[in-house]
Amino acid sequence: VVVVNWKSVADTVDALGGLDINIKDSEIKEMNKYIQDTYKNIGGSNAKIETAGKQTLNGNQAVTYARIRKDSVDGDYRRNERMKIVVKAAFKKAAKMDTKALKKISNEILPEIKTNMSSADMMDMVCIVFVRGKEPGTDMVELAQERGIVLMKTPLRMFTACGLLYDNGLRGGAE
């Protein structure tokens, strides 16, 4: 079990230097309505969104963006979509950073994340699979080589790739 709270999400976004996200007109009113609540709960910035379009959101803005519900007829479906947009933007930004910067961010953020997994369990990684044609960056390749971690890539989706790996004998460490 891994528990991540909204403050750790906001702190991660801030440590990454913000996230570039396209804000719709219909989302501005709801974001600005709830940004103060986010600020009261987790601190940080209470800066409001002024205009629609692509912009760099700070941690509190990104959390508020991910959490709003009433911006469209899509309701909670759109909320789930926004959460995915935030996570994808964070991974995209992190993928462009060097390992030294990522290690610094990890050292700052990891104490905020709670888990019942031991460090040994978490670090017992032997393989990373990049799906849907994604490519590891040179820093990732170098780090994997240093640690003896196998990198694999496939054009397949995650579900299909995992099924094939499992069918061919690759099992998780818990078995």
Side-chain angles (χ1 to χ4, degrees), residues 6-24:
W6 288 117
K7 182 172 179 2
S8 63
V9 173
D11 289 347
T12 301
V13 171
D14 287 337
L16 289 169
L19 299 178
D20 296 330
I21 295 179
N22 189 22
I23 303 297
K24 295 181 177 184

Side-chain angles (χ1 to χ4, degrees), residues 47-173:
K48 294 187 175 186
I49 300 298
E50 303 295 328
T51 60
K54 190 168 190 167
Q55 52 203 288
T56 303
L57 301 185
N58 66 38
N60 283 8
Q61 291 168 333
V63 165
T64 303
Y65 171 79
R67 294 184 69 199
I68 59 173
R69 297 173 189 255
K70 300 178 182 178
D71 74 297
S72 70
V73 293
D74 294 326
D76 225 33
Y77 171 78
R78 178 69 180 142
R79 180 179 187 224
N80 290 335
E81 194 175 291
R82 278 193 301 275
M83 287 183 186
K84 291 176 188 175
I85 289 168
V86 168
V87 170
K88 187 175 181 178
F91 276 107
K92 183 177 179 181
K93 189 115 184 215
K96 295 178 182 175
M97 299 176 81
D98 61 57
T99 51
K100 186 176 180 180
L102 290 173
K103 185 174 181 177
K104 181 179 184 290
I105 292 171
S106 295
N107 289 337
E108 292 171 4
I109 304 304
L110 285 177
E112 297 180 35
I113 299 172
K114 307 295 181 219
T115 181
N116 63 353
M117 295 171 61
S118 71
S119 296
D121 288 339
M122 287 189 271
M123 301 317 270
D124 195 25
M125 190 182 314
V126 294
C127 179
I128 300 172
V129 181
F130 290 83
V131 296
R132 299 176 63 186
K134 302 290 190 261
E135 297 276 341
T138 55
D139 289 342
M140 173 72 80
V141 172
E142 290 171 9
L143 186 62
Q145 288 172 338
E146 287 173 22
R147 306 239 170 121
I149 298 171
V150 175
L151 297 179
M152 300 170 71
K153 63 181 181 175
T154 177
L156 301 173
R157 297 177 142 245
M158 186 183 321
F159 183 81
T160 305
C162 290
L164 287 170
L165 290 168
Y166 186 87
D167 285 347
N168 285 282
L170 184 64
R171 302 290 188 265

Side-chain angles (χ1 to χ4, degrees), residues 27-39:
E27 295 166 330
I28 295 173
K29 182 180 174 187
E30 287 298 305
M31 284 183 68
N32 288 339
K33 180 178 174 182
Y34 291 105
I35 192 76
Q36 192 65 28
D37 289 339
T38 304
Y39 170 74

